[in-house]
Amino acid sequence: MSEPVIITCAITGAETTRDKQPHLPITPKEQGIAAQQAVRAGAAVIHLHVREDDGTPSQRPERFKEAIGEIRARVPEVIIQMSTGGAIGETIENRARPLTLKPDMATLNMGTMNFGDEVFYNRLRDIERLAARIYEHGVVPELEIYDAGMLETAARLVKKGVLKEPLFMQFVLGVPGGMSGDLRNLMHLLDLRLSHFDPASHWAVAGIGRHELPLAVQALTLGGHVRVGLEDNIYFTKGVLAKSNAQLVERIVRLADELGRPVASCKEARKLIGISS
Ligand code: KMH
Ligand code: ZN
């Protein structure tokens, strides 16, 4: 029997706008409803950014608290993964602040990179500080890997004792400035994973834009986990906007079924990742 696939839904993000995607959930209540629909469709993890009412990206702990409340009221079992990446230009201190809410998981971005026309700063000392804060609060980190060097940085931080194995790594491919969604890039990252990390480490792929679907299919066939959602991709098919986050999740569930991968429930995903219920 193949290992179950954990589906993460990145429901909002920091960059997608309502102008471009009218179904983007922005308010805590909208996020609660979107999370519930995504979980009903098959997602076990909600990757969470929050916005102010006017759509501005925010790292305000109070806003995270509201959003988490709305999600937990509808789907208490779901794994909530808080973004510590936030929006470009946010200070590291602000990015770390909502960790006091002790979500199940939090992202840890593994390096500085060009992010479109902007620069996404993640200096080594900041990564180490954020990692310490994440573990201090009993939260499970998910490593956001946009490039091969970032995975090698993670391996060094394991040796240094900053990161604890087994890890959960998310290969985010297709951001202009990081590795593209070319399959050879994924294969190289998987080679590095095999040579540097505990084989029990989990890996997932988040393909950006048009890379979302082909990379998800690759992850399903290669035994990885999958992330989809309006943060990463606003379309269902070329030129046709997705109707909801759930619609993107539903397609992965259908494909997983065809490809013989059972879909992990929230409870199963908690057990696989090592998060208490
Ligand atoms: N918004 C991007 C700059 C994360 O959630 O940790 C960073 C991001 C990664 O979305
Ligand atoms: Zn994010």
Side-chain angles (χ1 to χ4, degrees):
M1 180 79 160
S2 312
E3 188 179 328
V5 54
I6 300 171
I7 303 176
T8 295
C9 190
I11 56 173
T12 300
E15 288 82 25
T16 310
T17 61
R18 269 270 171 86
D19 287 354
K20 295 230 166 70
Q21 181 26 285
H23 304 294
L24 185 75
I26 283 179
T27 65
K29 185 160 180 210
E30 288 167 357
Q31 291 188 306
I33 294 166
Q36 182 178 35
Q37 291 169 347
V39 171
R40 283 196 181 144
V45 180
I46 297 297
H47 171 80
L48 187 65
H49 290 251
V50 294
R51 305 284 183 99
E52 298 301 338
D53 283 338
D54 66 357
T56 315
S58 172
Q59 286 295 111
R60 262 196 319 123
E62 300 76 18
R63 194 68 172 174
F64 268 106
K65 195 171 174 193
E66 273 182 83
I68 291 171
E70 294 284 349
I71 296 171
R72 285 258 174 265
R74 291 172 175 85
V75 271
E77 70 282 13
V78 73
I79 296 170
I80 296 184
Q81 180 189 88
M82 176 183 281
S83 171
T84 69
I88 298 282
E90 189 59 272
T91 63
I92 288 286
E93 203 38 52
N94 280 348
R95 284 164 52 182
R97 270 171 67 215
L99 285 170
T100 51
L101 297 170
K102 301 183 192 300
D104 300 302
M105 295 181 86
T107 58
L108 181 64
N109 290 269
M110 290 307 301
T112 296
M113 64 187 291
N114 287 324
F115 204 98
D117 290 335
E118 315 282 344
V119 179
F120 184 29
Y121 283 100
N122 294 286
R123 293 173 304 185
L124 193 60
R125 59 176 178 272
D126 292 328
I127 298 171
E128 294 193 13
R129 267 173 51 206
L130 259 178
R133 296 275 283 276
I134 289 172
Y135 287 123
E136 220 172 87
H137 290 293
V139 176
V140 175
E142 175 184 275
L143 309 190
E144 308 299 292
I145 308 285
Y146 304 82
D147 219 327
M150 296 190 191
L151 195 52
E152 291 172 313
T153 299
R156 283 198 299 279
L157 293 185
V158 169
K159 282 214 177 82
K160 207 175 160 185
V162 173
L163 295 177
K164 298 171 200 157
E165 296 199 276
L167 291 163
F168 196 110
M169 40 191 87
Q170 183 72 256
F171 302 135
V172 185
L173 302 182
V175 173
M179 272 179 152
S180 78
D182 189 316
L183 176 59
R184 288 167 296 186
N185 288 336
L186 176 60
M187 299 317 289
H188 180 51
L189 291 168
L190 293 180
D191 262 359
L192 289 175
R193 169 184 166 269
L194 273 186
S195 46
H196 292 306
F197 297 92
D198 181 338
S201 65
H202 296 282
W203 66 273
V205 179
I208 303 302
R210 66 188 165 82
H211 300 293
E212 182 172 88
L213 181 58
L215 283 172
V217 174
Q218 299 300 339
L220 288 172
T221 54
L222 294 166
H225 303 295
V226 173
R227 175 172 120 180
V228 291
L230 298 179
E231 169 170 347
D232 300 336
N233 168 38
I234 61 175
Y235 294 105
F236 188 66
T237 52
K238 193 168 188 253
V240 179
L241 289 173
K243 290 196 187 106
S244 64
N245 278 288
Q247 188 190 26
L248 296 169
V249 174
E250 280 160 10
R251 173 163 58 188
I252 302 303
V253 172
R254 284 196 302 275
L255 289 165
D257 187 43
E258 289 287 329
L259 293 165
R261 293 283 306 277
V263 174
S265 65
C266 298
K267 200 171 164 201
E268 286 163 341
R270 281 182 180 274
K271 199 162 168 216
L272 281 168
I273 304 172
I275 302 170
S276 56
S277 299

